[in-house]
Amino acid sequence: VQLGDGTSGDPGVEIKVAPSGAASLRVERTNSGAAYMEVATAVAGQDSQLRLIAPTDGKSRVFLGDSADPDVAYVDYRHDTNQMRFRANGTVAMYIDSSQKVSIGDNTADGQLHVESTSDVTTLVVKGETSQTANLQEWKNSSGTVLFEIEDDGFLDFKQASVTTAKTVTLLNDAIDQSMMGAATVTVNASTWLKVKIGGTTYHIPVWT
C-alpha cells in the first residue's frame, strides 16, 4: 500500500499485489444495508472517474454477479478488436464496435443497427403509448428530411413519392373479376384493402386471391 499527496504524479493511494498472490481488493459488508464503493470529488468543474486499464490484447471488465454465479453478467471492452460487449445471464447479448455499429444477437453488425433473433420470437417490436400521436417510425436522409414514416395509426406515408406522369392500365377479363362502368372506373372483387398514404393522400389498394 502506497500513500502519497496526489501531486507530481504521486498517487493518493496505490495498492499493489504480488503476481503470485490474490490480486483482488474486496469491500464486504456483513451487517444489513448495501455495500458500495464511492468515488467523489467536491471540486467544481471536475469529473469523478473510475478507470480500468488493461493490456492492448486484454479486456477491461465490470462484472455483475451473485453468490451462485459471480460473473453471470458483465460489461467489457476488448482492446484488441476495440469492441464493447454486454453479457446477460451468461450470454453476450449486444456488441458495439468502434464504428458505432450496434449488433444484438450476433457479434458482427451488417449495418449501423443489426438485430438478429436467436429464438422463435418477434425480432423487432415498435409499440406506442396509449395516447400516441407521434409517428411510430421515421426514415430520413442525411439532411434529416423524412422519406418514409409509419404513423401512429399504422398508415404508411411515402413522404417523397409523387406521380408526375399519367399511366394507362389494361385489365384483361380472364385475369381479374371486374366490371367496367364507363371509361374511368374499374371495380374489382376484393374484400381486403391495403391502405397506403402517399404525399398526404390515402389510397386503398385492393388485395384478392
Side-chain angles (χ1 to χ4, degrees), residues 9-45:
D10 194 14
V13 176
E14 186 176 62
I15 299 176
K16 294 183 177 180
V17 295
S20 59
S24 63
L25 172 64
R26 181 180 178 90
V27 177
E28 181 177 357
R29 184 167 184 165
T30 58
N31 59 353
S32 62
Y36 62 89
M37 296 181 64
E38 183 176 287
V39 178
T41 178
V43 181

Side-chain angles (χ1 to χ4, degrees), residues 167-171 173 176-189 193 206:
K167 301 294 183 181
T168 300
V169 178
T170 301
L171 299 177
N173 289 326
I176 185 172
D177 183 7
Q178 60 177 308
S179 61
M180 303 296 296
M181 299 179 62
T185 303
V186 177
T187 301
V188 298
N189 183 19
W193 303 86

Side-chain angles (χ1 to χ4, degrees), residues 32 47 54-56 69 78 84 93 104-105 115 158 181 193 206:
S32 62
D47 301 328
T56 56
D69 194 345
R78 289 192 56 178
M84 182 167 285
I104 300 175
V115 181
F158 299 87
M181 299 179 62
W193 303 86

Side-chain angles (χ1 to χ4, degrees), residues 146-168:
V146 178
L147 304 176
F148 167 82
E149 66 187 22
I150 300 178
E151 298 179 341
D152 62 293
D153 55 4
F155 273 89
L156 309 180
D157 193 349
F158 299 87
K159 304 292 290 186
Q160 304 304 307
S162 62
V163 179
T164 58
T165 305
K167 301 294 183 181
T168 300

